[in-house]
Amino acid sequence: MLRIGLSQVTSSEDPAENLELIRAEVARAAAEGARVVVFPEAAMVRFGVSLKPLAEPVDGPWAKSVAAIAAEHDVLVVAGMFTPSDDGRVRNTLLITGLGQHLGYHKIHLYDAFGFRESDTVAPGADVVTTTVDDVTLGFATCYDIRFPELFRRLADMGASAIVVPTSWGAGEGKREQWDVLVRARALDSGCWVLGCGQADPAATGTPVNPKAPTGIGYSTVSDGFGRVHAQLGAGPELVVVDVDPQVTEKARAATGALANRRL
């Protein structure tokens, strides 16, 4: 078993303020025995503001501060941030730090959809990333990535038993229903546990945000490889801690044959 905490928060426009939120939430999750603590996409600073002036490398001061928090509590922390890109844009990056690791996953699929153009300000990544905690291999994806099953199958082929998916899901008609389906579908496609950790809905706490930006709807969801939902939060800020059993992944893959029976 690997105990993973999902911290569904509403990030502000201030990276320093968000760092203190991460500090408090890591302490809460670690007190419940979590070995991995996951925060949403854009945990460093929410969408809807200028990102380039706030972007820092994964060895910059904000990320190093998160690493110090992870070290203090002996956990792996996964948190969305923005890092500089050579082409003048930024990268939408998952910081993965703690337990002797410090790396980043750059979001591959950019949210040029539903009237939003992430690629105007964000450069895509290219590398598929996994890491291992207590003999359980974790894969990483970000928000819009969840619409692309090939990424999740690639992560499964690389040995992942669970895939964490930090998000800042865009609101709109049918968007929650799509989120519900996609988390379970990607779990079924790959046989993996899929742990989707979203930004809370700012409306739940009366937080004003840019209405044109994808700033979260809540409803963080955990599904196993059989498509069974083990946890789902509501719209507001909340913490959930779940136990991920990699043996369930093996059983799901053996039962469904969704990976072994591929022809394309």
Side-chain angles (χ1 to χ4, degrees), residues 111 114 147 169-180 217:
Y111 184 55
F114 295 96
R147 293 185 181 273
W169 202 252
E173 184 179 356
K175 292 298 293 299
R176 181 192 161 187
E177 290 82 358
Q178 293 171 33
W179 169 249
D180 289 343
I217 64 167

Side-chain angles (χ1 to χ4, degrees), residues 200-223:
D201 185 345
T205 50
T207 303
V209 295
N210 184 336
K212 297 182 180 180
T215 50
I217 64 167
Y219 295 97
S220 297
T221 301
V222 177
S223 174

Side-chain angles (χ1 to χ4, degrees), residues 97-214:
T97 187
L99 304 178
Q101 305 174 71
H102 191 82
L103 64 153
Y105 162 71
H106 303 304
K107 184 179 181 183
I108 293 173
H109 302 95
L110 299 183
Y111 184 55
D112 287 359
F114 295 96
F116 189 85
R117 283 191 54 82
E118 187 176 14
S119 65
D120 286 347
T121 55
V122 177
D127 296 331
V128 181
V129 175
T130 65
T131 196
T132 300
V133 177
D134 298 343
D135 298 323
V136 177
T137 299
L138 302 176
F140 300 93
T142 305
C143 203
Y144 191 58
D145 279 336
I146 205 168
R147 293 185 181 273
F148 300 88
E150 58 271 21
L151 172 59
F152 288 71
R153 287 175 169 159
R154 173 75 67 84
L155 287 164
D157 288 340
M158 293 170 65
S161 294
I163 301 170
V164 296
V165 190
T167 78
S168 187
W169 202 252
E173 184 179 356
K175 292 298 293 299
R176 181 192 161 187
E177 290 82 358
Q178 293 171 33
W179 169 249
D180 289 343
V181 169
L182 287 163
V183 171
R184 297 172 72 187
R186 294 299 82 84
L188 286 162
D189 291 339
S190 63
C192 290
W193 291 78
V194 173
L195 302 98
C197 181
Q199 288 275 349
D201 185 345
T205 50
T207 303
V209 295
N210 184 336
K212 297 182 180 180

Side-chain angles (χ1 to χ4, degrees), residues 18-28 39 65 69 72-73:
N18 294 327
L19 183 65
E20 293 310 307
L21 181 59
I22 288 172
R23 188 185 310 279
E25 289 293 293
V26 168
R28 288 180 64 201
F39 291 88
S65 295
I69 294 168
E72 178 184 353
H73 295 281

